[in-house]
């Protein structure tokens, strides 16, 4: 089979050359689409359910929220494990699925269960929600919102948080590849009603009466329409609260004399902030200034290209900056692209150094520059083949997947064929230009004899990586891409060794003018003499008693 492929390639040189050019073009195009990251994403396939219920104790959260949801989701297919914890005012349930389960199918199944269990959860408790479709490496961009120098006292923490939530965050959520934008720091604006218990008692009211009045008086309603001649007038009532005055004028009840009792009669309405559990501080570069600011974290959608998403976020940040009030600055302090660029730069440097060393050794010991460079071309071509396969199998380029490539293994098969061809050519009496048929026959006879050894060597290398493909869990996510990329590169090198290499060897043989570095032979003789000298010294003939 392999001999037929070699013969077919030699008889169709130009087709092989065109196919190689197509491989180069396709590989370069796919390289631009390759997802680049620093390290593999080892986050398992999971769906999180978050429920917030302020003022509820952990025991009540567990009994009324966490346990019913766990029971409802326990029979979904593909679940590996389910874990949860209940805290004061918070319930978090994590459902881990098998890696081959589609994440969106899993979320759909969980959402259907939540609809069924919603009737079992008390109405006063918050509605369960699904966490964004992101992973542990989803934090790709972090920034702070701060006043510029000279504007420190113009904007309060509440105003900065309001700008973040209503201007910056809403625009960032519309970016392709962004799953969520989390806000933190500052003061979360709230309207607070400080009720006077004595006034409540005097008017015969309770807190539930006040809550009911607020709910009923904070909504718009619609109705039918009135026809007048050829015009229809649609009827609607506007009752949404817009300011503090609207809250103060809400009627809670009407007393016996027909006088309305309003919110301002039983309490004070003012702006306040939600309870805080921490703060975000900004320190200038010289350390002189330190004050509180507001921050945001951009979360990337699962399986997205972090470089492309960060690029879109940066472009959008520039547009948002123009729309912000005077004196407000968006200042990034964490950018994933910096870490990714540094990691890829290190991997690329190591790959280039390894490739140069391999090329130097090839030229040195083959004793021919053209044949040495021919073997060296296998390195970029097999890399392009591996890149194409990485996109097909959705494998990202990172320190693990790219850093494990060994160019010595990749060129192993090509070295065997080229060295054998070079030896046969050196034995020819007439080293002038050969006919195409003679060159093809020489290369075919040599390649067919040596290919069994080359194939056997590459199969052994591939077998070494096979056990890694069966890793599961975190180990599989970490090391399986490494093995796959190495196997892709070796497969590409093998295909090139039986098609591209024989064709190029035939052209070089046909051109004649074979030059050989005599000093490479001298180097081998020197090394052989050194070896034999050491061999005789350490393995002397034993004495027989």
């Amino acid at each position: 089979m392999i001999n037929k492929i070699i013969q077919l390639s030699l008889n169709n040189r130009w087709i092989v050359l065109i196919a190689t050019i197509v491989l180069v073009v396709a590989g370069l195009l796919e390289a631009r689409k390759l997802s680049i990251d620093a390290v593999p994403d080892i986050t398992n396939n999971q769906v999180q359910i978050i429920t917030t219920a302020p003022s509820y104790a952990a025991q009540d959260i567990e009994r009324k929220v966490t346990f019913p949801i766990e029971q409802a989701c326990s029979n979904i297919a593909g679940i590996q494990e389910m874990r949860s914890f209940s805290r004061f005012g918070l319930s978090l349930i994590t459902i881990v699925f098998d890696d081959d389960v589609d994440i969106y199918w899993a979320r759909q199944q969980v959402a259907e269960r939540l609809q069924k269990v919603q009737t079992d959860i008390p109405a006063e408790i918050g509605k369960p929600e699904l966490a964004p479709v992101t992973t542990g490496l989803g934090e790709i961009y972090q920034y702070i919102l701060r006043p510029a120098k000279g504007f420190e006292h113009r904007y309060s923490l509440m105003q900065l948080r309001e700008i973040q939530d209503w201007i910056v965050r809403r625009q960032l959520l519309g970016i392709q590849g962004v799953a969520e934008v989390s806000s933190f720091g500052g003061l979360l604006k709230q309207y607070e009603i400080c009720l006077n218990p004595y006034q409540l008692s005097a008017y015969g009211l309770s807190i539930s009466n006040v809550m009911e009045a607020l709910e009923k008086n904070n909504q718009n309603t619609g109705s039918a329409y009135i026809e007048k001649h050829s015009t229809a007038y649609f009827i609607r009532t506007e009752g949404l609260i817009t300011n503090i005055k609207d809250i103060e004028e809400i009627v809670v009840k009407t007393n016996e004399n027909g006088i309305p009792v309003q919110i301002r009669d039983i309490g004070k309405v003012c702006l306040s902030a939600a309870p805080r559990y921490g703060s975000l501080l900004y320190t200038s570069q010289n350390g002189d200034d330190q004050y509180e600011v507001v921050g945001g974290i951009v979360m990337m959608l699962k399986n997205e290209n972090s470089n492309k998403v960060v690029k879109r976020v940066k472009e959008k940040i520039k547009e948002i900056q123009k729309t912000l009030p005077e004196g407000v600055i968006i200042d990034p302090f964490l950018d994933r692209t910096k870490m990714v660029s540094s990691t890829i730069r290190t991997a690329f440097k190591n790959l280039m150094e390894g490739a140069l060393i391999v090329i130097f050794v090839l030229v040195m010991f083959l004793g021919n520059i053209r044949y040495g460079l021919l073997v060296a071309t296998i390195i970029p071509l097999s890399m392009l083949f591996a890149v194409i396969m990485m996109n097909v199998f959705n494998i990202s380029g990172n320190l693990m997947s790219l850093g494990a490539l060994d160019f010595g293994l990749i060129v192993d098969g090509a070295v065997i064929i080229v060295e054998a061809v070079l030896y046969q050519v050196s034995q020819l009496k007439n080293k002038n230009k050969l006919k195409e048929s003679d060159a093809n026959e020489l290369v075919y006879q040599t390649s067919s004899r040596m290919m069994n050894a080359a194939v056997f060597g590459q199969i052994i290398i591939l077998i070494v990586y096979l056990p890694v493909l069966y890793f599961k869990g975190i180990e599989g996510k970490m090391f399986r891409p490494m093995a796959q990329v190495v196997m892709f590169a070796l497969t590409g090198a093998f295909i090139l060794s039986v098609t591209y290499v024989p064709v190029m060897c035939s052209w070089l043989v046909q051109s004649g003018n074979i030059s050989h570095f005599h000093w490479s032979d001298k180097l081998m003789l020197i090394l052989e003499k050194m070896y034999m000298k050491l061999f005789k010294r350490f393995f002397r003939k034993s004495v027989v008693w």
Side-chain angles (χ1 to χ4, degrees):
M1 180 64 181
I2 296 176
N3 294 342
K4 291 182 179 179
I5 295 176
I6 296 174
Q7 186 68 53
L8 187 64
S9 301
L10 291 172
N11 293 336
N12 300 275
R13 291 179 174 184
W14 288 104
I15 295 178
V16 173
L17 181 61
I18 293 173
T20 306
I21 296 174
V22 171
L23 172 64
V24 173
V25 175
L28 294 175
L29 292 177
E30 291 295 329
R32 300 180 61 183
K33 303 177 185 178
L34 183 65
S35 178
I36 303 295
D37 215 327
V39 292
D41 192 347
I42 60 175
T43 307
N44 48 25
N45 208 16
Q46 61 179 237
V47 177
Q48 289 188 322
I49 306 170
I50 303 173
T51 308
T52 56
S55 73
Y56 274 81
Q59 294 85 347
D60 296 328
I61 292 292
E62 176 69 26
R63 181 169 55 88
K64 297 181 179 181
V65 180
T66 305
F67 181 74
I69 294 177
E70 286 181 332
Q71 288 294 105
C73 298
S74 60
N75 62 344
I76 299 178
I79 292 181
Q80 279 189 357
E81 64 173 340
M82 186 185 303
R83 57 181 183 269
S84 65
F85 72 87
S86 302
R87 297 291 185 270
F88 177 78
L90 176 66
S91 169
L92 177 61
I93 302 172
T94 303
I95 307 175
V96 180
F97 290 86
D98 296 331
D99 291 336
D100 56 348
V101 175
D102 182 69
I103 185 62
Y104 295 101
W105 178 88
R107 290 173 65 87
Q108 179 185 359
Q109 296 298 313
V110 174
E112 292 176 359
R113 301 305 195 281
L114 290 181
Q115 289 182 354
K116 295 180 181 178
V117 79
Q118 187 65 44
T119 56
D120 299 333
I121 299 176
E124 62 272 13
I125 296 180
K127 184 179 180 181
E129 297 179 352
L130 298 182
V133 189
T134 185
T135 64
L137 295 179
E139 297 182 8
I140 58 172
Y141 195 83
Q142 296 187 22
Y143 62 91
I144 60 172
L145 208 64
R146 64 178 180 88
K149 190 173 183 180
F151 293 85
E152 291 86 355
H153 303 290
R154 178 179 294 189
Y155 299 100
S156 65
L157 290 175
M158 186 177 293
Q159 290 174 320
L160 289 176
R161 180 59 183 264
E162 196 173 355
I163 293 172
Q164 158 64 18
D165 290 338
W166 295 94
I167 299 178
V168 180
R169 179 177 179 273
R170 288 180 175 246
Q171 295 188 60
L172 290 177
L173 285 174
I175 300 175
Q176 180 184 354
V178 172
E180 176 63 31
V181 179
S182 301
S183 303
F184 59 100
L187 299 174
L188 184 60
K189 182 179 178 181
Q190 289 184 345
Y191 289 93
E192 184 178 276
I193 303 175
C194 299
L195 296 174
N196 188 329
Y198 300 104
Q199 293 293 334
L200 285 174
S201 178
Y203 286 108
L205 296 173
S206 63
I207 295 178
S208 35
N209 296 137
V210 178
M211 295 293 293
E212 185 180 352
L214 289 171
E215 291 178 2
K216 290 181 178 180
N217 288 273
N218 185 29
Q219 57 184 342
N220 289 345
T221 58
S223 184
Y225 60 90
I226 300 174
E227 290 186 358
K228 188 173 182 181
H229 303 297
S230 60
T231 305
Y233 296 92
F234 291 90
I235 304 171
R236 62 188 293 262
T237 58
E238 296 182 0
L240 288 178
I241 296 173
T242 58
N243 50 48
I244 293 178
K245 184 180 178 182
D246 291 342
I247 300 176
E248 292 177 336
E249 293 179 350
I250 290 177
V251 177
V252 180
K253 67 174 287 189
T254 303
N255 61 16
E256 297 175 353
N257 299 324
I259 299 174
V261 179
Q262 298 177 323
I263 295 291
R264 63 187 174 192
D265 297 328
I266 56 177
K268 182 181 179 182
V269 183
C270 61
L271 288 178
S272 182
R276 297 206 295 170
Y277 300 97
S279 61
L280 178 64
L281 295 178
Y282 167 78
T283 305
S284 59
Q285 293 182 353
N286 54 18
D288 296 337
D289 299 328
Q290 188 179 54
Y291 48 86
E292 285 193 53
V293 293
V294 176
I297 302 176
V298 181
M299 307 292 292
M300 181 183 68
L301 198 65
K302 185 178 182 179
N303 296 329
E304 280 287 338
N305 191 326
S306 61
N307 278 355
K308 293 183 179 180
V309 177
V310 172
K311 183 179 179 181
R312 299 187 198 112
V313 170
K314 288 181 178 179
E315 294 174 353
K316 194 64 177 181
I317 288 289
K318 293 179 181 179
E319 298 177 7
I320 296 174
Q321 182 65 64
K322 299 176 183 178
T323 64
L324 296 180
E326 182 184 6
V328 179
I329 298 176
I330 300 177
D331 193 1
F333 67 90
L334 188 146
D335 186 349
R336 173 73 70 81
T337 54
K338 294 180 180 179
M339 180 178 65
V340 173
S341 300
S342 178
T343 305
I344 297 303
R345 195 181 304 116
T346 302
F348 182 76
K349 177 185 175 183
N350 294 338
L351 291 175
M352 288 299 297
E353 291 175 352
L356 291 175
I357 292 173
V358 170
I359 293 172
F360 174 76
V361 172
L362 287 172
V363 175
M364 174 76 70
F365 287 95
L366 286 176
N368 188 287
I369 295 179
R370 294 193 300 172
Y371 281 84
L373 293 178
L374 167 60
V375 177
T377 57
I378 296 296
I379 296 175
L381 291 176
S382 60
M383 281 292 297
L384 292 174
F385 180 83
V387 167
I388 295 173
M389 299 305 295
M390 287 171 70
N391 281 336
V392 172
F393 288 89
N394 196 22
I395 300 174
S396 66
N398 51 62
L399 191 60
M400 290 296 296
S401 61
L402 298 179
L405 288 173
D406 189 342
F407 294 139
L409 300 178
I410 292 175
V411 301
D412 184 50
V415 167
I416 295 175
I417 296 176
V418 171
E419 188 177 14
V421 171
L422 188 59
Y423 174 77
Q424 293 295 330
V425 172
S426 64
Q427 301 301 314
L428 293 176
K429 296 180 180 179
N430 183 14
K431 297 186 179 181
N432 297 325
K433 292 184 178 181
L434 300 178
K435 295 181 180 180
E436 180 180 343
S437 58
D438 296 336
N440 288 347
E441 183 63 24
L442 185 147
V443 173
Y444 173 74
Q445 293 296 335
T446 306
S447 300
S448 59
R449 286 199 305 268
M450 303 304 299
M451 203 58 215
N452 290 332
V455 171
F456 184 72
Q458 290 182 336
I459 289 177
I460 291 177
I461 298 171
L462 289 173
I463 291 175
V464 171
Y465 286 93
L466 281 179
V468 183
L469 299 179
Y470 292 93
F471 284 3
K472 300 293 183 181
I474 295 177
E475 297 83 2
K477 292 179 181 293
M478 179 67 75
F479 296 107
R480 196 185 302 124
M482 173 200 71
Q484 288 176 310
V485 173
V486 173
M487 295 178 75
F488 293 154
L490 289 174
T491 304
F494 171 74
I495 296 173
L496 292 168
S497 297
V498 298
T499 55
Y500 166 76
V501 172
V503 169
M504 296 305 297
C505 285
S506 177
W507 259 320
L508 292 176
V509 170
Q510 185 180 348
S511 65
N513 214 3
I514 303 298
S515 60
H516 193 75
F517 295 152
H518 298 287
W519 50 263
S520 67
D521 295 333
K522 293 180 180 179
L523 177 62
M524 294 302 298
L525 290 174
I526 293 173
L527 293 175
E528 184 179 356
K529 289 180 180 179
M530 291 176 60
Y531 172 76
M532 292 304 299
K533 185 177 180 181
L534 292 173
F535 182 84
K536 291 178 181 179
R537 180 178 178 181
F538 290 104
F539 296 93
R540 294 174 181 173
K541 187 175 181 180
S542 60
V543 179
V544 180
W545 295 91

